[in-house]
Amino acid sequence: MVKEIDRAGIPVVHICTVVPISLTIGANRIVPAIGIPYPLGDAHESEEKSYEIRERLVTRALRALTVPVEEQTVFESDDF
């Protein structure tokens, strides 16, 4: 579905826990998440720390929406 939405001209970011699957399905903008049972946080951290992790990942995804891409791109850091 991510690929089809993007093809319609609406930029999409796929936040995922298993990057190779996102690459296989053809997602253009990929932001790796933390882990399968808790993708946007860390169950071993405090709620405050998990919130910081979620905020960082969502901010990274929103910034990735502003980057024009010609091929599949994995946004692993906040340095873009």
Side-chain angles (χ1 to χ4, degrees), residues 43-56:
H44 298 43
E45 297 287 349
S46 67
E47 185 57 36
E48 189 173 282
K49 180 66 176 171
S50 285
Y51 180 85
E52 290 173 13
I53 293 168
R54 282 192 297 277
E55 184 176 40
R56 189 179 74 243

Side-chain angles (χ1 to χ4, degrees), residues 31-72:
V31 171
I34 302 302
I36 291 172
Y38 200 46
L40 294 177
D42 187 339
H44 298 43
E45 297 287 349
S46 67
E47 185 57 36
E48 189 173 282
K49 180 66 176 171
S50 285
Y51 180 85
E52 290 173 13
I53 293 168
R54 282 192 297 277
E55 184 176 40
R56 189 179 74 243
L57 288 170
V58 170
T59 300
R60 184 181 303 158
L62 290 171
R63 290 183 67 213
L65 285 173
T66 68
V67 177
V69 295
E70 296 295 322
E71 58 187 33
Q72 291 179 300

Side-chain angles (χ1 to χ4, degrees), residues 6 11-14 27-31 64-69 73 75:
D6 200 47
V12 176
V13 174
H14 193 217
N28 285 331
R29 292 174 186 85
I30 302 165
V31 171
L65 285 173
T66 68
V67 177
V69 295
T73 306
F75 295 90

